[in-house]
Amino acid sequence: MLVEEIMNKDVITLSPNDGIESALKLLNEYHIRHIPIVDQQNCVVGIVSDRDVRDASPSIFDAPEQSAQLKNPIESIMTTPVTTVHPLDFVEEVAGIFYEQEIACVPVTRNDELIGIITEKDMLDTLIQLTGTNVQSSQIEVKVINKPGILPQVTQVFGKRKVNISSVLIYPYKPDSNYKIIVIRIQTMNPLPTIEDLKAEGYEVLWPHLPGMSS
């Protein structure tokens, strides 16, 4: 899946000379957590978060004259330089950026011009879609040998039963690198016949654990 498929194109922005007070109003009005800061060419020069604005805002216990700091330009608190991504980048790569840099938002640029934004919520929504948990389905986890061609062999079993597969994920079997786990979600509320088929073909089903059935 590409970044351009999940990015939000309606981006709220500010210029470096806008006041902190403007950022505070936009954050509250649009219920957002990040605002990219752009120059006259719509190039990203910084970014501010709700935490940045909150830390720069006066406390209710401060003297009235302290509120003047809200008039300071947004460039005084913005983070720069800013990590950006391209619309043709893969979403999986962006997830790695979020994790490695411990950030919650990335602007999307093309030819240095801002065209969108991706947030943590966008990434979570995408993960839900990729895993198929947004539709009624049953999850089956199968332990298989880590060798080429094993995935089509396993899915053949599902094909014979004519069940619709919502998603397929593969991850390592940590106790033994010679094996891996294939997680398949199928659009049926009764996975028992498919599980029986898998066992008949010699596959080890780790989930679900059904009463009276060994894995």
Side-chain angles (χ1 to χ4, degrees):
M1 183 175 288
L2 299 178
V3 165
E4 64 180 1
E5 298 178 58
I6 71 166
M7 70 181 186
N8 184 353
K9 298 178 182 179
D10 298 321
V11 188
I12 306 300
T13 64
L14 288 172
S15 71
N17 295 325
D18 287 324
I20 298 174
E21 186 176 23
S22 297
L24 181 60
K25 290 179 179 179
L26 290 176
L27 290 168
N28 291 330
E29 179 180 354
Y30 292 97
H31 304 288
I32 54 179
R33 296 179 56 193
H34 300 85
I35 301 178
I37 311 303
V38 298
D39 59 18
Q40 294 182 346
Q41 287 73 43
N42 202 36
C43 296
V44 180
V45 295
I47 194 167
V48 293
S49 68
D50 54 350
R51 177 178 293 183
D52 297 327
V53 174
R54 184 173 61 249
D55 291 345
S57 301
S59 166
I60 59 174
F61 301 106
D62 290 337
E65 57 269 17
Q66 291 294 104
S67 62
Q69 66 193 51
L70 289 176
K71 304 297 181 182
N72 291 336
I74 201 74
E75 64 181 348
S76 64
I77 65 168
M78 71 182 187
T79 297
T80 186
V82 183
T83 297
T84 62
V85 296
H86 190 274
L88 297 183
D89 286 341
F90 289 106
V91 171
E92 298 90 332
E93 296 172 349
V94 177
I97 293 174
F98 275 50
Y99 176 77
E100 293 170 4
Q101 300 191 20
E102 298 183 351
I103 56 179
C105 167
V106 287
V108 183
T109 61
R110 179 188 286 121
N111 298 326
D112 294 328
E113 184 178 350
L114 178 68
I115 61 170
I117 195 169
I118 291 183
T119 66
E120 277 183 324
K121 184 178 180 181
D122 298 322
M123 294 299 300
L124 288 173
D125 287 343
T126 302
L127 177 61
I128 290 172
Q129 293 181 41
L130 291 176
T131 56
T133 55
N134 58 324
V135 297
Q136 281 194 332
S137 58
S138 298
Q139 178 171 309
I140 299 176
E141 297 186 8
V142 186
K143 177 184 172 184
V144 297
I145 297 176
N146 187 5
K147 68 175 184 178
I150 191 65
L151 179 59
Q153 291 179 27
V154 174
T155 54
Q156 278 182 357
V157 178
F158 293 83
K160 292 177 182 178
R161 184 62 62 174
K162 298 187 184 301
V163 293
N164 191 26
I165 296 177
S166 300
S167 67
V168 178
L169 296 175
I170 301 175
Y171 62 89
Y173 181 67
K174 292 185 178 180
D176 189 343
S177 61
N178 291 316
Y179 294 88
K180 56 187 175 183
I181 307 298
I182 300 178
V183 182
I184 301 177
R185 296 193 73 92
I186 56 177
Q187 291 184 358
T188 177
M189 299 310 293
N190 180 22
L192 185 56
T194 305
I195 293 174
E196 294 281 10
D197 290 347
L198 288 166
K199 292 179 181 295
E201 293 293 333
Y203 295 111
E204 181 177 354
V205 178
L206 301 183
W207 180 265
H209 299 298
L210 300 177
M213 293 185 64
S214 59
S215 62

